[in-house]
C-alpha cells in the first residue's frame, strides 16, 4: 500500500502507540534514564537514547545497567527507572500535537485500541488525565504470553480484540521498535515524528511529522463521512 492509497483507505480498526505518539512522554523516559544513570556516575548520549526509544522498560533497565558497567544491578535500575518515569509523567501529562483531535475523529468510524510497552496503570492514568481513555475499547500491554514490542504480540491482540484482521487495521507509531512490532503483526503503519529516520528503513506505509497534519485530519473526516 502506498502513501496515496493509504489515505484512500478506511481501516477496520486503529491501534495507537502511547508514549511519543498519543502522550508527550518519551521525553520523560529520556529524563528518567538520565536520572538513573547519574546516580551511578554515568551520562547517557544520543546514540543510547536512540537505541532505547520505544523498548520495554525492563529491557531499558538491562541496557542502563550494561551502559553503567553494572550488569548485576539490572533489576534495581529497572525499578529506579520506572519509579522516576512515574513521577515525571504524573507531574506533566501532555498529549502530542494533533493526538486528541485525531482520536476524536477516528473514534467516529473505527474501534480504537492502544498497544504500549508501558505498564497498564501508567498508560490508562495518562490517557484518563488527557480525557482520551474513554475513546479506546482496549489497552494492550505486555504480560503473560504477550511479549513486548518489537514482538508483534500487542498489535496482534489489539486487532483481534477490535474484531479486525491485522491487514485491515492501522497502527500509529513513533519508534522503530514499534514500527517493527506493527509490521510483523501485519498491520499497515502510520509513522509519526519530526523527521523520518535516514539511517534505517522503518516499515511504514505513510510518514507524517505530526498527528496534526492537515491531510491526515482530512482523511479521518472523509472516513467518518
Amino acid at each position: 500500500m502506498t502513501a496515496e492509497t493509504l489515505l484512500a483507505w478506511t481501516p477496520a480498526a486503529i491501534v495507537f502507540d502511547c508514549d511519543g505518539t498519543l502522550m508527550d512522554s518519551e521525553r520523560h523516559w529520556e529524563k528518567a534514564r538520565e536520572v538513573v544513570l547519574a546516580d551511578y556516575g554515568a551520562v547517557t548520549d544520543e546514540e543510547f537514547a536512540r537505541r532505547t526509544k520505544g523498548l520495554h522498560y525492563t529491557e531499558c533497565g538491562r541496557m542502563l545497567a550494561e551502559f553503567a558497567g553494572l550488569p548485576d544491578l539490572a533489576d534495581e535500575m529497572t525499578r529506579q527507572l520506572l519509579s522516576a518515569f512515574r513521577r515525571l509523567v504524573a507531574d506533566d501529562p501532555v498529549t502530542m500535537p494533533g493526538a486528541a483531535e485525531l482520536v476524536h475523529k477516528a473514534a467516529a468510524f473505527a474501534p480504537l485500541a492502544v498497544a504500549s510497552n508501558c505498564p497498564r496503570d501508567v498508560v490508562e492514568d495518562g490517557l484518563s488525565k488527557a480525557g482520551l481513555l474513554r475513546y479506546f475499547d482496549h489497552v494492550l500491554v505486555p504480560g503473560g504470553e504477550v511479549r513486548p514490542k518489537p514482538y508483534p504480540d500487542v498489535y496482534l491482540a489489539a486487532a483481534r480484540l477490535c474484531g479486525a484482521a491485522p491487514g485491515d487495521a492501522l497502527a500509529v507509531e513513533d519508534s522503530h521498535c514499534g514500527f517493527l512490532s506493527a509490521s510483523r503483526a501485519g498491520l499497515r503503519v502510520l509513522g509519526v515524528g519530526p523527521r523520518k529516520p535516514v539511517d534505517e528503513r522503518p516499515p511504514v506505509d505513510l510518514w507524517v511529522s505530526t498527528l496534526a497534519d492537515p491531510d491526515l485530519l482530512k482523511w479521518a473526516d472523509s472516513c467518518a463521512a
Side-chain angles (χ1 to χ4, degrees):
M1 183 176 287
T2 65
E4 292 75 18
T5 56
L6 188 142
L7 290 181
W9 169 65
T10 301
I14 304 179
V15 186
F16 289 83
D17 170 56
C18 189
D19 285 347
T21 300
L22 291 174
M23 301 300 297
D24 186 12
S25 47
E26 185 61 37
R27 59 197 169 93
H28 297 324
W29 281 118
E30 291 182 11
K31 180 62 177 178
R33 291 191 291 263
E34 291 175 3
V35 168
V36 173
L37 284 175
D39 287 343
Y40 295 90
V43 179
T44 187
D45 54 31
E46 290 186 7
E47 173 59 19
F48 184 78
R50 186 191 68 80
R51 289 192 296 115
T52 53
K53 183 178 181 180
L55 293 178
H56 192 258
Y57 63 92
T58 55
E59 179 66 8
C60 282
R62 183 190 65 78
M63 293 177 68
L64 284 170
E66 290 185 352
F67 188 84
L70 300 165
D72 292 342
L73 295 183
D75 289 345
E76 174 62 17
M77 294 178 78
T78 297
R79 185 193 65 75
Q80 293 173 339
L81 173 68
L82 189 54
S83 177
F85 175 76
R86 288 183 194 277
R87 290 194 303 271
L88 291 165
V89 78
D91 291 340
D92 189 20
V94 178
T95 58
M96 294 296 289
E101 186 174 4
L102 180 61
V103 167
H104 296 163
K105 292 176 182 293
F109 67 86
L112 307 184
V114 172
S116 174
N117 266 351
C118 274
R120 180 181 298 277
D121 66 297
V122 173
V123 175
E124 292 184 344
D125 187 55
L127 292 175
S128 179
K129 288 178 178 177
L132 296 180
L133 183 61
R134 66 182 184 272
Y135 293 99
F136 293 95
D137 299 282
H138 306 284
V139 174
L140 280 300
V141 299
E145 295 182 356
V146 178
R147 299 168 297 179
K149 305 173 189 177
Y151 290 103
D153 300 25
V154 286
Y155 277 105
L156 285 171
R160 175 177 54 80
L161 289 171
C162 286
D168 295 329
L170 176 68
V172 185
E173 269 284 359
D174 76 310
S175 72
H176 191 71
C177 177
F179 302 149
L180 290 175
S181 175
S183 179
R184 289 168 177 171
L187 280 71
R188 304 297 180 183
V189 183
L190 171 67
V192 58
R195 62 184 183 278
K196 189 173 183 178
V198 295
D199 58 339
E200 298 175 333
R201 292 186 177 275
V204 300
D205 296 276
L206 175 66
W207 186 275
V208 293
S209 61
T210 169
L211 294 182
D213 180 271
D215 289 336
L216 183 62
L217 296 177
K218 187 185 300 182
W219 164 78
D221 282 333
S222 69
C223 289

